[in-house]
């Protein structure tokens, strides 16, 4: 199974614009750091991370959008079975 860091790198190096790549990188970096320090997996970690972001009044919609795209990519690649953020209400 592919590790998460490699998956993020592959995700960021797809055929996307430089601006989109930088935007995605900005919002996935903190998420990876959170997962590595929390010891949580992708599914459980995604929901908790977004809760923490929302409570800190950070750019919640941008995080939610980026993490949804990334997690959908992880589902497509077979790393996880479902996107735990699919039901999260968008602001």
């Amino acid at each position: 199974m592919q590790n998460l860091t490699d998956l993020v790198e592959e995700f960021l190096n797809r055929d996307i614009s430089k601006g989109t790549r930088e935007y995605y990188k900005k919002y996935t970096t903190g998420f990876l750091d959170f997962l590595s320090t929390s010891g949580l997996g992708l599914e459980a970690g995604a929901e908790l991370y977004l809760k923490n972001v929302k409570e800190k009044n950070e750019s919640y919609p941008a995080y939610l959008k980026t993490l949804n795209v990334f997690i959908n990519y992880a589902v497509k690649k077979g790393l996880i079975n479902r996107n735990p953020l699919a039901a999260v209400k968008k602001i």
Side-chain angles (χ1 to χ4, degrees), residues 37-57:
T37 58
S38 71
L40 295 171
L42 185 58
E43 289 186 55
E47 293 178 84
L48 184 58
Y49 181 71
L50 275 179
K51 181 181 177 193
N52 290 340
V53 167
K54 191 173 185 179
E55 288 174 358
K56 293 178 183 178
N57 293 321

Side-chain angles (χ1 to χ4, degrees), residues 5-69:
T5 303
D6 290 343
L7 184 69
V8 169
E9 189 170 320
E10 181 181 305
F11 171 73
L12 294 173
N13 289 318
R14 296 174 300 141
D15 187 21
I16 55 178
S17 73
K18 181 180 178 184
T20 299
R21 184 174 295 109
E22 290 172 3
Y23 179 88
Y24 285 169
K25 185 176 183 178
K26 175 181 177 180
Y27 293 106
T28 55
T29 301
F31 179 54
L32 279 181
D33 291 344
F34 173 81
L35 290 179
S36 69
T37 58
S38 71
L40 295 171
L42 185 58
E43 289 186 55
E47 293 178 84
L48 184 58
Y49 181 71
L50 275 179
K51 181 181 177 193
N52 290 340
V53 167
K54 191 173 185 179
E55 288 174 358
K56 293 178 183 178
N57 293 321
E58 293 183 30
S59 186
Y60 178 76
Y63 279 95
L64 178 58
K65 177 183 175 183
T66 301
L67 291 181
N68 259 313
V69 173

